[in-house]
Amino acid sequence: MEKTKFSPHAWTTCARQVRLMSISDPLQNPSQPMALGLVQRRRKRFAAALIALFAVAGAMVRPPDASWADLVAAAGMAVTVAAIVGRAWCSLYIGGRKAAELVTQGPYSVCRNPLYVFSILGALGVAAQTGSVAMAGLGAAATVIVLWRTVAREEDWLGAHMGPAYAAYLRDVPRFLPDFRLWREPEELAIRPVLFRITLRDGLAFLGAGLMLRALGALGSALALPGLVLP
């Protein structure tokens, strides 16, 4: 049987391809920015885990006073609705543009991650459906922890792809806490309705999760399940 011979050029080409593959793979080369798609998928998995955790907590938490719990839940529902509207508003500016261009106007002129700010508020509102202020604060804090790493990964990617313009944006605009003195808005804004609807639909998941927590808490009380009293 005739043996296949590889020329030096073929070996060089093969080695170059292997090197390029390792460079583009963040698991093989952790110093490279992680692709935005992978970052988003990991964020959604963490979000799903948090929802499951708070679903269990919703059946276990017992607020010390029923009227206080109702007030906390009502305030949380208002915050949740505001978060859904805020996320949809942000999508008008960022929808379909995040990986293609640097968005620095509207809500993105006052902080770099307004969509995530509204997500934190949404998590606070959802956790408040347990009737516990402590659980609401814990829900917001857990979401901040998850999003902090997500944002760091996204900043690495954007810095590598957007160049000096993003470095200036990173320097001048706060990460989460809005600075309304920086507000700028365009005279015209091209929007993609389908992305707006998707963001609005995704935001409704906050509403559904909140109602689920409320129902689980009522069920736990009705069945006299053992619970943890939290203010």
Side-chain angles (χ1 to χ4, degrees), residues 2-198:
E2 182 180 355
K3 294 183 179 180
T4 303
K5 295 182 179 181
F6 290 93
S7 67
H9 176 72
W11 282 112
T12 302
T13 302
C14 182
R16 185 182 296 116
Q17 292 298 323
V18 170
R19 179 175 177 274
L20 289 174
M21 289 172 63
S22 65
I23 290 175
S24 61
D25 184 355
L27 299 178
Q28 297 294 329
N29 191 349
S31 66
Q32 294 297 316
M34 186 177 292
L36 284 183
L38 180 57
V39 172
Q40 294 300 321
R41 287 193 295 274
R42 289 187 174 183
R43 175 183 61 82
K44 290 178 180 179
R45 285 197 293 268
F46 278 120
L50 281 178
I51 290 173
L53 179 62
F54 277 93
V56 174
M60 296 178 61
V61 172
R62 303 287 183 270
D65 181 77
S67 59
W68 170 252
D70 289 340
L71 180 61
V72 171
M77 186 59 69
V79 172
T80 301
V81 172
I84 293 171
V85 173
R87 282 172 50 85
W89 174 49
C90 292
S91 75
L92 297 177
Y93 288 83
I94 198 69
R97 300 184 178 94
K98 188 167 188 174
E101 62 182 273
L102 182 59
V103 178
T104 61
Q105 299 202 9
Y108 290 87
S109 66
V110 296
C111 79
R112 301 197 303 271
N113 301 282
L115 194 65
Y116 291 157
V117 170
F118 284 114
S119 295
I120 293 167
L121 291 177
L124 185 150
V126 168
Q129 298 312 300
T130 61
S132 166
V133 173
M135 286 298 294
L138 184 60
T143 306
V144 169
I145 292 171
V146 170
L147 291 180
W148 197 273
R149 183 166 177 78
T150 298
V151 167
R153 291 288 194 178
E154 289 182 348
E155 288 175 350
D156 288 344
W157 190 93
L158 291 168
H161 289 78
M162 299 296 177
Y166 185 74
Y169 181 62
L170 201 69
R171 181 189 66 239
D172 298 336
V173 180
R175 175 180 274 183
F176 285 123
L177 190 63
D179 183 352
F180 293 101
R181 297 171 300 175
L182 302 174
W183 175 264
R184 294 184 298 119
E185 61 183 6
E187 293 184 3
E188 296 181 351
L189 181 64
I191 65 172
R192 298 177 63 180
V194 64
L195 296 178
F196 174 80
R197 290 197 303 271
I198 290 173

